[in-house]
Amino acid sequence: MKATIIAISAILLVGSITPFATAEGVPAWVKSNAGWWADGAISETEFISGVQHLIKEGIIAVPPTTVSAETTQEGVPAWVKSNAGWWADGAISDHEFVNGIQHLIKIGIVNVPSSENAPSQQESAISSNSELVTLQAGLDNCAEITKAYDRLNCERDAKLEITSYNIKSNSQLFEVGPVTYYWPGLDTEGNTFEITSSGQALLNLRILVENTGSDKNEALFCTGPAICNYDITSGDNVYKYSQMDFTNGQVVLKPGEAKIFNMMFGPNIGGGGTTFEYDSAKDYHFRISESYGSGSIPLNLE
């Protein structure tokens, strides 16, 4: 959890451009941050800093608000914090939560950039869509390659860029040493969780990793269930994978390179594996224990 909190400033840089004022499409990690603040997992200062950045980047759409001449230095009112927790739990609407943010602006706790300097949401959306259009054009251009092998390689690389763009636009960032892990959450980009009719819990994870901080190749290692730098913990138990797609037991990342890896947790396949079990009363985390650093991604299984 601490690694998640530390990474909050980086998380804010890649949120999808979706205003709180609309009920559909609000990034799940935004509500998670509100819930963490309400529960005391992150500080008031961290939350306020995050809100200011979200407004600046056009991720939160807050109606024009006049700052009162009588500002306060006493911190966030208790009712605003309560609203954050209720909003995270789905008990109040996006509009009601925005009312709380407007109040923080009015009393001078949250500072927003002036309109002439801040990019509009329309400008941000156009920029975002233009990048996606460019990536799609690159994929379309692959069809002009006559050699089958070269065309397939071109299409594979172009599709990875589009998928990477989509994941980055809707993910929470976890920086572990020089490698950044992008977690888009469940029910997105192939990440699923289900309980079968026989009662077996099945969890499929699809995570984008990128070498963002090294000028040399970095490698992710997992040669088998018993020898793998990745697992899931519920606090009491540790679970090893049932399936994964590490080529020759590793994922090698060149400087600036991004790749996607897949893992499935379910039945025990032997070789030091474990059967994945789900208990709704427990919190599950995907753990990273590489030579370059360690991290933990909360999965929020439901």
Side-chain angles (χ1 to χ4, degrees):
M1 177 64 74
K2 186 61 177 176
T4 302
I5 297 170
I6 293 173
I8 188 171
S9 60
I11 293 171
L12 301 174
L13 296 175
V14 295
S16 63
I17 303 173
T18 306
F20 285 139
T22 60
E24 62 275 10
V26 177
W29 57 264
V30 178
K31 285 196 173 184
S32 296
N33 287 348
W36 292 336
W37 174 52
D39 294 338
I42 64 175
S43 70
E44 178 180 300
T45 300
E46 289 173 310
F47 179 76
I48 295 303
S49 176
V51 167
Q52 290 177 168
H53 193 97
L54 286 166
I55 295 172
K56 178 182 178 181
E57 293 298 314
I59 299 168
I60 295 180
V62 178
T65 305
T66 301
V67 178
S68 171
E70 298 180 0
T71 57
T72 180
Q73 299 297 324
E74 297 181 358
V76 177
W79 67 267
V80 176
K81 190 170 185 177
S82 296
N83 273 9
W86 294 334
W87 179 67
D89 293 337
I92 66 173
S93 68
D94 296 342
H95 177 73
E96 290 172 297
F97 180 70
V98 168
N99 285 342
I101 300 302
Q102 280 188 277
H103 181 75
L104 298 183
I105 296 172
K106 183 176 181 180
I107 63 178
I109 290 179
V110 170
N111 298 312
V112 297
S114 60
S115 58
E116 61 265 26
N117 294 326
S120 68
Q121 285 199 352
Q122 183 178 12
E123 290 172 338
S124 298
I126 291 174
S127 175
S128 176
N129 290 336
S130 296
E131 183 174 351
L132 188 57
V133 167
T134 299
L135 293 175
Q136 184 61 51
L139 175 59
D140 294 340
N141 290 337
C142 293
E144 300 177 4
I145 299 176
T146 56
K147 292 185 178 179
Y149 186 77
D150 292 341
R151 183 175 65 254
L152 289 174
N153 282 339
C154 177
E155 291 175 345
R156 179 199 61 199
D157 294 342
K159 289 178 180 178
L160 175 60
E161 287 191 44
I162 292 173
T163 301
S164 297
Y165 171 84
N166 289 330
I167 291 178
K168 288 181 180 181
S169 297
N170 297 280
S171 286
Q172 202 167 350
L173 272 74
F174 295 84
E175 294 182 346
V176 179
V179 176
T180 298
Y181 294 73
Y182 297 88
W183 168 238
L186 289 176
D187 300 321
T188 60
E189 298 295 341
N191 291 282
T192 61
F193 173 63
E194 64 173 316
I195 306 294
T196 67
S197 58
S198 64
Q200 174 63 63
L202 296 177
L203 175 64
N204 291 285
L205 300 180
R206 193 170 195 231
I207 300 176
L208 175 71
V209 288
E210 185 177 17
N211 183 351
T212 54
S214 176
D215 58 1
K216 63 179 182 180
N217 291 355
E218 299 292 345
L220 288 62
F221 287 95
C222 186
T223 59
I227 305 175
C228 185
N229 293 342
Y230 300 85
D231 59 32
I232 287 177
T233 179
S234 64
D236 299 326
N237 299 301
V238 174
Y239 302 100
K240 303 296 184 178
Y241 75 83
S242 297
Q243 295 179 15
M244 60 87 167
D245 62 356
F246 280 33
T247 303
N248 297 321
Q250 62 181 336
V251 175
V252 178
L253 299 172
K254 298 176 182 178
E257 184 177 29
K259 291 184 178 180
I260 293 172
F261 71 83
N262 298 275
M263 279 191 172
M264 191 269 276
F265 294 81
N268 184 355
I269 62 171
T274 52
T275 297
F276 183 54
E277 300 174 345
Y278 175 66
D279 183 342
S280 60
K282 296 180 180 179
D283 294 325
Y284 291 80
H285 288 73
F286 180 70
R287 296 194 304 183
I288 304 159
S289 302
E290 289 286 2
S291 59
Y292 49 74
S294 301
S296 178
I297 299 178
L299 296 174
N300 301 317
L301 301 183
E302 295 180 355

